[in-house]
């Protein structure tokens, strides 16, 4: 018989720390930060000016500096929600997905060739499909659980073509094309799939098990 599962009570939002500084009153998260700074006898940094804010937002969200005319327009905009509108506009930019998909490409060992194996290294002609699918997933704000499911389990029947291309994740590894032993090639690919999946989604270096049993 299965043991009954112990389900913890749902999380309860913590009570926001009090703050007597007006600049920190609008955000409960900032109040917690301020409380910790005071505990360590630190003072918060001065609030960034508008030129600094727009540069930070641009570099962080799209990876490019803001055009000078947009900087000047933002500096002149005195509305209370100007920064929120700027962030929302950058998040809606297609460059947002291009910027942040790059981090996932490193995790997914993405490359546009099959990997060097002696003198053998062929171009992966369909690599752009995975690249575009990941960028599109970021720009579409695809939920993370679906993002993982498409890559590990494949896309269910009827899924958009762009989502199906995420399933290329398991096939992006190196290919021992210069090795004439089919078993070597097969097990290298299987090991690459298992190892990358473990590192990407479980934070475990399970590839060690290829040679070690500890």
């Amino acid at each position: 018989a299965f043991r009954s599962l112990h389900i913890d009570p749902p999380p309860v939002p913590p009570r926001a720390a009090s703050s007597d500084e007006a600049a920190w009153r609008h955000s409960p998260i900032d109040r917690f930060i301020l409380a910790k700074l005071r505990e360590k006898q630190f003072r918060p940094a001065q609030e960034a000016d508008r030129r600094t804010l727009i540069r930070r937002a641009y570099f962080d969200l799209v990876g490019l500096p803001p055009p000078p005319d947009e900087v000047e327009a933002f500096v002149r905009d005195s509305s209370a929600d100007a920064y929120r509108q700027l962030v929302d506009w950058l998040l809606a930019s297609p460059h947002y997905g291009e910027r942040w998909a790059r981090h996932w490409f490193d995790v997914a060992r993405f490359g546009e060739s099959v990997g060097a194996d002696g003198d053998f290294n062929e171009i992966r002609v369909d690599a752009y499909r995975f690249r575009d699918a990941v960028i599109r997933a970021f720009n579409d704000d695809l939920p993370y659980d679906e993002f993982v499911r498409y890559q590990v389990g494949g896309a269910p029947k009827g899924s958009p073509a762009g989502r199906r291309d995420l399933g290329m994740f398991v096939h992006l590894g190196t290919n021992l094309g210069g090795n004439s032993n089919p078993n070597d090639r097969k097990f290298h690919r299987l090991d690459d799939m298992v190892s990358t999946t473990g590192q990407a989604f479980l934070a475990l270096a399970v590839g060690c098990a290829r040679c070690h049993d500890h």
Side-chain angles (χ1 to χ4, degrees):
F2 292 102
R3 295 182 179 180
S4 59
L5 297 176
H6 173 71
I7 302 177
D8 292 326
V12 178
R15 183 178 180 181
S18 61
S19 172
D20 55 3
E21 296 193 27
W24 291 76
R25 291 177 184 172
H26 63 280
S27 172
I29 296 177
D30 287 343
R31 295 178 187 177
F32 286 106
I33 295 174
L34 180 60
K36 183 58 69 172
L37 288 173
R38 285 178 169 174
E39 179 184 317
K40 302 296 183 180
Q41 298 183 347
F42 292 139
R43 294 285 300 168
Q46 293 295 321
E47 185 173 349
D49 59 37
R50 297 181 80 80
R51 293 183 186 276
T52 302
L53 280 177
I54 189 173
R55 284 181 61 82
R56 287 178 179 175
Y58 259 81
F59 277 113
D60 190 40
L61 296 178
V62 299
L64 297 170
D69 57 333
E70 293 187 18
V71 174
E72 297 305 323
F74 181 70
V75 170
R76 292 193 302 268
D77 189 348
S78 59
S79 59
D81 62 344
Y83 188 64
R84 182 185 298 274
Q85 291 182 2
L86 170 67
V87 171
D88 288 342
W89 183 77
L90 291 173
L91 289 174
S93 167
H95 299 307
Y96 168 75
E98 296 166 357
R99 158 85 164 113
W100 283 95
R102 293 177 57 196
H103 297 286
W104 187 251
F105 294 150
D106 291 339
V107 174
R109 71 346 187 166
F110 172 78
E112 297 192 11
S113 74
V114 298
D117 177 30
D119 296 329
F120 180 86
N121 190 14
E122 291 183 346
I123 296 297
R124 184 178 278 118
V125 295
D126 59 351
Y128 72 93
R129 291 168 45 199
F130 180 79
R131 178 200 65 202
D132 292 353
V134 173
I135 292 173
R136 190 179 301 111
F138 273 82
N139 283 330
D140 292 347
D141 199 20
L142 182 69
Y144 181 68
D145 59 337
E146 294 183 40
F147 185 66
V148 172
R149 190 179 307 120
Y150 280 123
Q151 292 181 85
V152 177
K157 186 177 180 180
S159 299
R163 296 292 183 256
R164 294 198 297 271
D165 289 337
L166 289 173
M168 295 173 63
F169 168 86
V170 295
H171 301 293
L172 289 175
T174 57
N175 185 345
L176 299 183
N179 191 322
S180 60
N181 187 325
N183 287 329
D184 284 352
R185 296 197 301 270
K186 175 181 178 180
F187 285 106
H188 174 79
R189 286 184 52 118
L190 292 175
D191 172 72
D192 176 82
M193 293 178 185
V194 173
S195 178
T196 305
T197 301
Q199 290 179 326
F201 301 111
L202 303 176
L204 293 175
V206 296
C208 307
R210 178 175 182 173
C211 302
H212 304 277
D213 60 2
H214 57 271

